[in-house]
């Protein structure tokens, strides 16, 4: 996000961090009552790289979110980024899971992904898109990370985009 912003109409400078309002943005997108905005990260203690307000399914409580965050790199749990008001399809973003070489799993994380899939009216399965090359995702298993297993997140399709050096 742009930290400094110049309004082209007025020429006024503004702090970009104060322009974006998550609640207004989700309202603009028309998120359904099946989603809610949580303030659990208001002091950035859940994930220091995520915004203060997060969009999550209403069915998931704030008490469940820390366990889900613990299973993800940098505690970047799956959160709402975009909502389609016609068919309730979403783009949710997160970081790689901590599956490791043993294929660790998180029932809380799997439940959240299952809820997200069910909230999309027309979704028969969820598409998990990993921007990295598959080779990098597999190599990260040795560091305790990895990628989602299609069998753990059924029904889903994991797709790798093959983008190198995305950081």
């Amino acid at each position: 996000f742009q930290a400094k912003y110049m309004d082209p109409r007025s020429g006024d400078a503004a702090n970009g961090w104060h322009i974006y309002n998550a609640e207004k943005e989700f309202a603009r997108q028309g998120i359904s009552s099946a989603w809610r905005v949580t303030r659990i990260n208001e002091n950035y203690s859940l994930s220091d790289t995520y915004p203060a307000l997060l969009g999550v399914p209403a069915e998931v409580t704030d008490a469940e979110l820390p366990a889900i965050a613990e299973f993800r790199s940098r505690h970047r749990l799956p959160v709402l980024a975009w909502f389609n008001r016609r068919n309730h399809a979403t783009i949710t973003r997160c970081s790689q899971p901590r599956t490791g070489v043993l294929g660790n799993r998180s029932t809380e994380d799997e439940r959240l992904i299952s809820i997200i899939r069910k909230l999309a009216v027309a979704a028969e399965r969820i598409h998990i898109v990993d921007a990295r090359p598959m080779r990098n995702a597999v190599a990260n298993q040795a560091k305790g990370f990895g990628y989602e297993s299609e069998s753990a997140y059924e029904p889903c399709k994991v797709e790798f985009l093959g983008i190198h050096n995305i950081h």
Side-chain angles (χ1 to χ4, degrees), residues 47-74:
S47 176
D48 63 357
T49 63
Y50 262 8
L53 305 179
L54 306 172
V56 296
E59 187 177 333
V60 178
T61 67
D62 280 1
E64 296 173 275
L65 297 177
I68 298 166
E70 189 63 36
F71 185 64
R72 296 283 173 167
S73 173
R74 305 282 312 261

Side-chain angles (χ1 to χ4, degrees), residues 117 120 122-127 150 153-159:
R117 182 190 59 79
E124 293 180 17
R125 67 179 174 173
I126 195 165
H127 292 267
E150 289 184 355
Y153 295 91
E154 286 188 273
C156 85
K157 173 70 175 152
V158 177
E159 302 172 48

Side-chain angles (χ1 to χ4, degrees), residues 1-26 28 44 51 53:
F1 190 74
Q2 190 170 352
K4 296 287 184 191
Y5 171 77
M6 179 73 68
D7 186 329
R9 293 168 293 194
S10 67
D12 294 337
N15 182 334
W17 293 110
H18 297 144
I19 294 172
Y20 177 76
N21 179 307
E23 290 171 320
K24 286 182 181 177
E25 175 58 19
F26 288 138
R28 183 193 68 77
Y44 305 98
L53 305 179

Side-chain angles (χ1 to χ4, degrees), residues 44-117:
Y44 305 98
S45 61
L46 183 67
S47 176
D48 63 357
T49 63
Y50 262 8
L53 305 179
L54 306 172
V56 296
E59 187 177 333
V60 178
T61 67
D62 280 1
E64 296 173 275
L65 297 177
I68 298 166
E70 189 63 36
F71 185 64
R72 296 283 173 167
S73 173
R74 305 282 312 261
H75 296 114
R76 294 177 183 151
L77 69 157
V79 296
L80 183 64
W82 177 81
F83 180 82
N84 182 309
R85 67 178 79 206
R86 285 194 326 270
N87 64 8
H88 295 202
T90 64
I91 295 176
T92 53
R93 62 168 304 185
C94 60
S95 63
Q96 63 185 321
R98 297 175 184 269
T99 54
V101 293
L102 299 178
N104 298 322
R105 294 176 64 174
S106 165
T107 55
E108 298 88 354
D109 189 77
E110 292 170 24
R111 179 176 173 272
L112 174 60
I113 298 296
S114 177
I115 291 168
I116 291 169
R117 182 190 59 79

